[in-house]
Amino acid sequence: MSLIVQKFGGTSMGSVERIQNVAKRVAKWHRAGHQVVVVPSATAGETNRLLGLASDLSERPDPRELDMLAATGEQASSALLAIALQAEGISARSYTGWQVPVKTDSAFTKARIKDIDGTRIKTDLDAGKVIIVTGFQGIDPEGHITTLGRGGSDTSAVAIAAAIGADQCLIFTDVDGVYTTDPRVVPDARRMSVISFEEMLEMASLGSKVLQIRAVEFAGKYKVPLRVLSSLTDPDIPVEEEIMSGTLITIEEDPSMEAAVVSGIAFSRDEAKITILGVPDRPGIAFGILGPIADANIDVDMIIQNQSVDGTTDFSFTVNRAGYKDAIDVINNVVLKNIDAREVITDDKVCKVSIVGIGMHSHAGVASKMFSTLAKEGVNIQMISTSEIKTSVLIEDKYMELAVRTLHQAFDLGEDTTTAE
Ligand code: ADP
Ligand code: ASP
Ligand code: MG
């Protein structure tokens, strides 16, 4: 008998029939003698629908109320799954985040999990029940409902797995594993049967939404064996077959696995750029601009400061689109009160495309191949950032799919052009 956490995403929970299929799949694991905790997302489109209603009512809805609202999506789907399991003859019980409790900080709409009390879950499991815990949500020290950021049910699942010492965390989704890039953008993308934890972390942080980055961080920190697999297969496939399907995220180094120079391409449409022209080139300017942005809890990603001309310089940085309006407000209301500047230019028609691979640092010329590939397609690079295992470029968003497709081809990542796996 093993203890398994299974997470099902929005599409997997997207209709009565799909919820019944999830129930059948979970029932199969339970009947095979495993203890199962299920973490469902809201049904497909429900979180967007709820947040859309809020934006219809207000340009800047109160984040606390947004969390109060968005958390209902997962509450509904969890209860529906419990009902579906009970209809399958399985004893099942659902809990919200605050009932467990899943304790978080108070950063509404992007809260971080601090602690999970697994006692209630374990007691119910030992009584033979399947336990369902809402994804995406928790409770802060003052008792307010919080949510964990878009895609946060992945993180709920891995954190619960860590808290109860689960043997496996299975992320069931609408693709059958982690691919070299989003298979919806590049149809000949290749599924990897194994991906290293570092590469998965980088892919997730650079925009591959197949796993939320914090889920990967938790899996690494608490050594939770993590697998991404399809929820759209026959729910009755044998447990032994299912457990070998999809993509395993390995924490252990596998010496037989040759480090791919480039193993995947990630992209994010969720970017916006702010440029402040003509700021004085003196110590403290970067802090003067980015300090207030950090104080407003807005994450900054890429940063460029140009060579100064006549004692002034230009300063550009990118933020997530969700923080874009707030960042512009901070620049206008705080930064420009203290720092002289000629002009502020804002642009949310940008995207970030990245190549990722742990073998990259030992191979010269990988970044330049990326730049020449984009140049051949006439794609202008606005900003660049690099680390040991990735190179990212910021480009105009209308070129995103073209850039991803041509880079995927240039680095031989396609289905039948590579032998590495
Ligand atoms: P869920 O609702 O199950 O959480 P998501 O939509 O959040 O599902 O994540 C799954 C989606 O991630 C896929 O449908 C796919 O379009 C996208 N995706 C992006 N990059 C990748 C990748 N490298 N491999 C697989 N899927 C990816
Ligand atoms: N329902 C939430 C969202 O749409 C959380 C999740 O699906 O993981 O972002
Ligand atoms: Mg998701």
Side-chain angles (χ1 to χ4, degrees):
M1 180 184 81
S2 52
L3 175 54
I4 316 261
V5 174
Q6 305 190 341
K7 180 255 171 180
F8 291 87
T11 313
S12 316
M13 294 287 294
S15 63
V16 166
E17 201 190 5
R18 290 219 169 133
I19 295 173
Q20 282 169 332
N21 271 343
V22 170
K24 282 193 189 130
R25 201 175 293 276
V26 170
K28 171 187 73 187
W29 282 83
H30 180 76
R31 290 194 183 110
H34 301 289
Q35 289 189 320
V36 188
V37 178
V38 191
V39 178
S41 288
T43 54
E46 177 63 4
T47 310
N48 286 345
R49 187 186 74 82
L50 292 167
L51 296 177
L53 290 173
S55 356
D56 288 347
L57 292 166
S58 161
E59 214 177 281
R60 301 273 175 98
D62 174 3
R64 181 199 180 275
E65 300 309 326
L66 283 179
D67 280 359
M68 182 77 179
L69 175 69
T72 63
E74 270 70 12
Q75 183 170 340
S77 62
S78 294
L80 289 171
L81 183 57
I83 292 166
L85 275 161
Q86 289 162 3
E88 277 284 318
I90 303 286
S91 168
R93 177 178 278 177
S94 67
Y95 290 113
T96 61
W98 64 266
Q99 286 175 309
V100 171
V102 175
K103 296 180 189 163
T104 71
D105 63 17
S106 301
F108 294 116
T109 75
K110 50 180 172 186
R112 282 177 179 270
I113 295 177
K114 296 288 172 200
D115 183 41
I116 296 178
D117 184 349
T119 320
R120 202 165 188 178
I121 298 176
K122 289 216 149 185
T123 309
D124 282 353
L125 284 172
D126 289 342
K129 289 187 170 54
V130 167
I131 301 307
I132 300 156
V133 180
T134 50
F136 185 48
Q137 59 176 270
I139 186 153
D140 83 351
E142 279 77 48
H144 304 296
I145 290 175
T146 53
T147 66
L148 310 179
R150 298 307 304 269
S153 298
D154 297 332
T155 304
S156 307
V158 181
I160 289 167
I164 62 174
D167 300 296
Q168 294 257 4
C169 181
L170 305 180
I171 306 285
F172 286 93
T173 184
D174 56 6
V175 280
D176 62 352
V178 180
Y179 280 70
T180 45
T181 193
D182 189 339
R184 295 185 205 286
V185 172
V186 180
D188 83 329
R190 183 175 50 85
R191 185 177 62 79
M192 292 174 269
S193 56
V194 178
I195 183 170
S196 76
F197 162 74
E198 286 87 353
E199 283 169 322
M200 192 63 245
L201 194 62
E202 208 63 40
M203 294 275 278
S205 82
L206 295 169
S208 293
K209 68 171 185 164
V210 64
L211 281 177
Q212 201 200 35
I213 178 167
R214 286 191 206 145
V216 189
E217 286 168 355
F218 260 105
K221 188 164 170 196
Y222 297 101
K223 309 242 175 304
V224 178
L226 189 60
R227 184 177 284 277
V228 174
L229 64 174
S230 175
S231 70
L232 304 178
T233 53
D234 174 2
D236 293 323
I237 64 168
V239 161
E240 304 72 42
E241 199 180 307
E242 188 150 63
I243 197 68
M244 299 308 288
S245 67
T247 300
L248 176 70
I249 289 92
T250 51
I251 292 157
E252 310 303 329
E253 292 271 313
D254 178 352
S256 69
M257 239 171 81
E258 169 128 13
V261 178
V262 173
S263 53
I265 315 257
F267 55 85
S268 160
R269 289 188 173 88
D270 217 14
E271 310 289 320
K273 183 172 75 160
I274 297 180
T275 303
I276 311 181
L277 298 174
V279 292
D281 189 17
R282 59 171 160 77
I285 281 297
F287 177 66
I289 294 171
L290 298 181
I293 295 282
D295 292 343
N297 209 3
I298 301 165
D299 293 332
V300 169
D301 181 14
M302 295 166 132
I303 303 169
I304 283 188
Q305 183 176 341
N306 288 341
Q307 185 81 29
S308 68
V309 181
D310 302 333
T312 65
T313 184
D314 302 334
F315 193 94
S316 295
F317 60 96
T318 62
V319 294
N320 191 286
R321 272 191 213 170
Y324 180 51
K325 282 189 191 159
D326 287 342
I328 295 173
D329 282 356
V330 171
I331 296 295
N332 288 328
N333 302 333
V334 184
V335 174
L336 295 185
K337 297 265 184 306
N338 301 319
I339 292 173
D340 290 332
R342 196 171 68 245
E343 195 184 348
V344 177
I345 299 174
T346 58
D347 184 359
D348 65 351
K349 304 252 170 324
V350 289
C351 69
K352 182 170 67 173
V353 176
S354 311
I355 55 175
V356 176
I358 40 181
M360 201 185 281
H361 65 280
S362 52
H363 284 75
V366 179
S368 75
K369 182 169 176 180
M370 178 186 202
F371 306 150
S372 71
T373 305
L374 294 175
K376 268 186 231 143
E377 296 295 330
V379 178
N380 186 40
I381 298 171
Q382 303 179 13
M383 291 170 103
I384 299 170
S385 76
T386 62
S387 77
E388 284 231 311
I389 70 165
K390 70 114 201 269
T391 302
S392 301
V393 296
L394 193 79
I395 60 174
E396 213 180 321
D397 64 358
K398 70 177 182 196
Y399 293 123
M400 198 201 75
E401 301 204 348
L402 172 71
V404 172
R405 255 185 260 123
T406 46
L407 289 170
H408 195 265
Q409 200 171 16
F411 287 102
D412 287 343
L413 295 173
E415 189 62 79
D416 40 29
T417 48
T418 177
T419 50
E421 181 159 303

